[in-house]
Amino acid sequence: MPKKIELIILFFAVPILLSAQKIKKIEFKEINILNRIQIQSLDMLPEDKDLIVFDKDQETFLRYTGTVWMDIGEGGDFRSALLKNEENLEFRKTMVTKKLPRDTTKKYIIRLDKKVRQHMVLNEQDDGLIIYEGEFKIFSKGNWSRLGKGGNFGAMLNRQKSISGLKEGFLTNWRRAFGFGLHGGIIYPSLFRDEVYPSNPFLNGLSSGWEVGLTQNMVYKRFFQSRMYITYNHIVLTETFRSEDANDLTATWTLAGPKIAVLPIMITPGSENFKVSIGAGAYARYHLTKELSTNVQDVLVTGDDFIEPFEYGFLAQLGFQVYRFNIDINATNQANTFIKSDWVQLLQEIQRLKLKTFSLNISFNF
């Protein structure tokens, strides 16, 4: 390759590589807010060292040294620090402004990557600036000092005997975010074949089922959640096939076994105690019981020979939350076939036989 072309490539590549080393992402770490009376009522132990809270009466951050609470300042003006360093960090003012939190009822610490912090140019006016970089750090007299990881606020609070207005609210929010709950519901199953035998989940009482189990919140944000269910299902599905000679065939399927369902995406608009939820995910069910009974003696009636024991597919959910109660309508569509693969290969006309369910569920989160 000619040297002239190599120089041109280097001329364009070097600035791109250099700019790629600068990280533009801004995040925030929320700090627990307490009033002065609540802080003074805390029963602190030496292992609570480095715990950081915000005193909303004095409007300052406090750090527990293992013996006393130490005032570490107001956290600094991170807005001014970011705008002052926008050229060093390749920030645009509009981008920075949109990222800044507007909720004045909470206290945030800016979360920076090490490379971002190293590119920041600060002076004595920035003394007291607190950031989070895998742990809390404070800028003082031209240097960054370590403050620790912020302590285990949950463990500290759970051992308190009584702190008015604090522990109860914390436990409620913790249970919503991380606690498990009881889950139950009624199921309406149906089998989908093709256009000749369309699926119908409401078969005039011929289909029924129930499920009970546990639910676990994996993510609990204001407008976004993720949830997992572990349940035991029992499904009974009866189908009647009409014939011209009035010798109708009635088949009753009985399926039972554990199911796990995951909803990684749940949009939850609403207030703190009332939310609407729209979710999508996947499920897997294992049939410990597989039975088929018919009203005709010469028809094969054992389901163990041809029903797939493992079922998986897609899950959709629509519901709402009231306090810690969740009432949902769930719909599942099987992705694999209801009949074992070796049967499907021999009988192509049943290769589309799949299980569909609708269910009405209620759960209570502890």
Side-chain angles (χ1 to χ4, degrees):
M1 182 180 294
K3 289 186 177 181
K4 186 175 181 180
I5 297 178
E6 291 178 352
L7 290 174
I8 294 175
I9 293 175
L10 288 174
F11 178 79
F12 288 101
V14 169
I16 294 175
L17 291 174
L18 289 176
S19 63
Q21 299 300 315
K22 300 180 182 180
I23 301 174
K24 305 178 182 181
K25 189 175 182 181
I26 302 177
E27 296 179 355
F28 297 90
K29 185 173 180 62
E30 186 178 328
I31 301 298
N32 296 287
I33 301 176
L34 289 73
N35 61 38
R36 179 50 61 96
I37 295 177
Q38 291 170 334
I39 294 174
Q40 293 174 343
S41 301
L42 292 175
D43 179 19
M44 305 298 293
L45 298 177
E47 52 263 35
D48 297 318
K49 182 180 178 181
D50 294 337
L51 184 69
I52 295 178
V53 299
F54 184 77
D55 183 342
K56 67 178 181 180
D57 292 334
Q58 302 296 324
E59 295 187 351
T60 184
F61 289 96
L62 300 177
R63 172 178 173 263
Y64 190 67
T65 64
T67 54
V68 296
W69 287 100
M70 181 178 68
D71 189 327
I72 56 177
E74 299 178 359
D77 188 353
F78 62 83
R79 181 189 296 265
S80 298
L82 286 177
L83 294 177
K84 182 171 60 177
N85 285 273
E86 61 175 337
E87 293 183 359
N88 300 334
L89 306 178
E90 293 188 348
F91 282 124
R92 294 182 179 180
K93 289 185 179 180
T94 55
M95 177 182 176
V96 174
T97 304
K98 288 181 179 179
K99 290 285 186 178
L100 297 180
R102 300 180 180 180
D103 191 346
T104 57
T105 64
K106 299 180 179 179
K107 194 66 178 178
Y108 297 89
I109 292 294
I110 187 171
R111 186 196 299 257
L112 297 178
D113 186 271
K114 181 179 180 180
K115 293 180 180 179
V116 175
R117 177 179 61 80
Q118 290 175 338
H119 279 86
M120 293 182 68
V121 178
L122 304 175
N123 53 36
E124 63 276 1
Q125 295 179 348
D126 299 303
D127 274 8
L129 182 66
I130 300 176
I131 66 167
Y132 185 83
E133 181 196 308
E135 63 178 345
F136 291 95
K137 294 183 178 181
I138 185 169
F139 186 77
S140 178
K141 299 179 180 180
N143 296 306
W144 289 100
S145 300
R146 300 169 60 182
L147 294 174
K149 293 184 177 295
N152 190 339
F153 184 82
M156 179 278 300
L157 194 59
N158 279 332
R159 71 164 180 268
Q160 307 299 320
K161 293 181 179 180
S162 177
I163 303 176
S164 176
L166 177 64
K167 184 176 181 180
E168 292 79 7
F170 172 81
L171 290 178
T172 298
N173 292 332
W174 185 91
R175 286 164 178 165
R176 287 178 175 177
F178 304 107
F180 70 94
L182 296 179
H183 176 80
I186 54 176
I187 304 174
Y188 299 94
S190 65
L191 293 175
F192 177 85
R193 289 178 171 82
D194 51 31
E195 291 75 11
V196 179
Y197 299 101
S199 60
N200 181 7
F202 305 104
L203 301 177
N204 298 323
L206 297 179
S207 65
S208 64
W210 51 265
E211 64 176 333
V212 293
L214 302 176
T215 175
Q216 173 72 57
N217 286 330
M218 298 183 294
V219 176
Y220 192 97
K221 302 293 185 181
R222 185 175 181 182
F223 301 125
F224 177 83
Q225 297 179 23
S226 292
R227 192 176 301 155
M228 177 176 65
Y229 301 90
I230 300 177
T231 61
Y232 184 85
N233 291 210
H234 187 275
I235 295 173
V236 177
L237 173 60
T238 301
E239 296 181 306
T240 299
F241 300 90
R242 304 292 180 183
S243 63
E244 294 180 358
D245 57 3
N247 292 322
D248 298 339
L249 172 64
T250 300
T252 300
W253 310 78
T254 301
L255 306 170
K259 183 184 79 171
I260 182 170
V262 179
L263 287 165
I265 302 175
M266 295 179 64
I267 308 301
T268 57
S271 63
E272 181 179 0
N273 290 317
F274 182 86
K275 296 177 180 291
V276 177
S277 64
I278 303 173
Y283 78 98
R285 179 162 33 210
Y286 188 82
H287 303 303
L288 293 174
T289 300
K290 302 175 293 178
E291 296 178 357
L292 170 61
S293 60
T294 69
N295 63 336
V296 180
Q297 296 298 324
D298 56 350
V299 175
L300 185 67
V301 294
T302 174
D304 285 332
D305 293 336
F306 58 88
I307 298 177
E308 283 281 9
F310 183 69
E311 170 196 344
Y312 60 89
F314 308 101
L315 170 66
Q317 183 183 95
L318 176 64
F320 60 91
Q321 172 186 334
V322 179
Y323 184 49
R324 283 187 275 165
F325 288 93
N326 293 277
I327 301 176
D328 307 301
I329 296 176
N330 297 302
T332 66
N333 262 345
Q334 185 176 357
N336 63 331
T337 55
F338 185 70
I339 302 298
K340 285 186 177 180
S341 57
D342 53 349
W343 277 67
V344 171
Q345 292 172 5
L346 295 174
L347 303 172
Q348 292 299 318
E349 63 271 17
I350 64 172
Q351 65 179 342
R352 295 186 64 185
L353 187 60
K354 298 181 179 182
L355 185 65
K356 300 176 64 174
T357 68
F358 288 85
S359 62
L360 176 63
N361 301 88
I362 184 170
S363 58
F364 178 78
N365 194 335
F366 290 98

